[in-house]
Amino acid sequence: MATALKAESIRDQVSPEEWQARVDLAAAYRLMALYGWDDLIFTHLSARVPGPEHHFLINPYTHMFEEMTASALVKIDIDGNPVIPTPAPVNRAGFVIHSALHGARDDAHAVFHLHTPYGQAVAAMADGLLPHTQTAMIAGHDVAYHDYEGIATELEERERLVADLGDRHMMILRNHGTLAVGATVAEAFLRIYFLERACEAQVHMLAAGRDGLNTPPQGVEGKVKEQSTGPGMAMLAQGLAWPALLRKLDRIDPGYRD
């Protein structure tokens, strides 16, 4: 019987702060698989390692998301070189996208990129994300758009990714997928959660036809924006939602902590 890949523990080789970042990021990978948002071994989540070096953690291009552990994550520098020797390769597109945002945005400690069917469907719609659900209004004011340039393997695209994201925290990559950044793994997870749920709801509502959609009253989008920005959102992510998600994972399989 085939077994999941298991990496030798590197906990003693890294700082406590890095180990915590590894545990949180491994948890995010497991959660993506749990919610059905993974794409075989493709797509990628990353987290910056605490410290001045701009090193960041990303998945080895060998593991299913459900197999990810804290020790299995690959630490690379901003040029894509492994900091801790490893035979595991890193997805080239993952390096391009994540190095762009980690390098340009001091607040982008975590960067998540997905290829879900619902996210791709909305990414293929000319109108992008529609403000017809509460979840879409929570996410929509903070969503940027980036035109498709092919598989993201060219370093020159990094400048355009950064410019298109601007000061926002979520992005729909046209004809491609979704992306979110956060000051913590918890913030990035909550943002991609809202964006993905909004995309899923949009696909379902449009399946019933557009003519019967109820447009929110004038001014309510602005109200939801005010209600869903500021320090309260960070507290909701880090203090409430993330601990609950970790408890859920620990009940299922705490192996991501290895």
Side-chain angles (χ1 to χ4, degrees):
M1 179 184 294
T3 57
L5 296 174
K6 185 172 178 62
E8 183 177 348
S9 176
I10 63 165
R11 184 169 188 169
D12 293 339
Q13 302 177 41
V14 302
S15 69
E17 294 78 13
E18 177 177 334
W19 185 252
Q20 185 59 56
R22 286 176 171 272
V23 169
D24 282 339
L25 187 58
Y29 275 100
R30 295 289 186 101
L31 287 164
M32 296 301 170
L34 187 63
Y35 280 97
W37 295 343
D38 51 348
D39 184 16
L40 294 181
I41 60 170
F42 309 107
T43 75
H44 12 83
L45 321 175
S46 65
R48 186 179 296 155
V49 175
E53 299 89 356
H54 276 79
H55 295 161
F56 63 93
L57 305 167
I58 198 166
N59 52 316
Y61 205 9
T62 49
H63 284 50
M64 301 287 284
F65 282 22
E66 67 195 41
E67 298 175 310
M68 204 62 63
T69 66
S71 294
L73 292 161
V74 177
K75 180 164 64 171
I76 59 177
D77 63 23
I78 206 69
D79 296 315
N81 303 306
V83 177
I84 297 176
T86 175
V90 169
N91 183 317
R92 170 70 176 178
F95 162 68
V96 169
I97 292 170
H98 294 260
S99 65
L101 301 178
H102 283 303
R105 289 273 297 262
D106 287 339
D107 64 330
H109 289 274
V111 180
F112 291 1
H113 169 50
L114 301 177
H115 297 158
T116 69
Y118 295 117
Q120 290 187 79
V122 173
M125 296 177 184
D127 290 337
L129 188 65
L130 299 173
H132 285 69
T133 64
Q134 174 174 279
T135 313
M137 285 184 274
I138 290 171
H141 65 86
D142 204 16
V143 173
Y145 292 84
H146 174 69
D147 286 336
Y148 189 59
E149 300 186 23
I151 298 173
T153 57
E154 298 176 5
L155 295 178
E156 293 77 13
E157 188 174 354
R158 294 192 294 187
E159 294 182 8
R160 294 182 287 277
L161 278 164
V162 169
D164 287 340
L165 183 61
D167 61 357
R168 298 193 175 191
H169 298 90
M170 288 170 278
M171 178 179 279
I172 291 176
L173 290 82
R174 298 279 192 185
N175 310 101
H176 185 177
T178 57
L179 181 144
V181 305
T184 63
V185 166
E187 283 186 32
F189 184 89
L190 193 59
R191 286 185 175 124
I192 204 79
Y193 174 86
F194 282 133
L195 182 54
E196 285 292 335
R197 291 299 291 258
C199 289
E200 181 177 356
Q202 179 164 319
V203 171
H204 285 305
M205 75 185 187
L206 290 179
R210 189 157 183 172
D211 292 342
L213 295 183
N214 181 63
T215 300
Q218 185 175 3
V220 75
E221 285 183 67
K223 180 178 180 179
V224 173
K225 175 182 177 180
E226 292 178 4
Q227 293 172 318
S228 56
T229 54
M233 186 59 70
M235 184 275 292
L236 176 63
Q238 190 69 37
L240 299 176
W242 190 246
L245 287 163
L246 294 183
R247 292 195 303 271
K248 182 181 183 72
L249 276 183
D250 286 337
R251 288 193 296 271
I252 297 169
D253 180 3
Y256 69 95
R257 295 180 178 275
D258 294 340

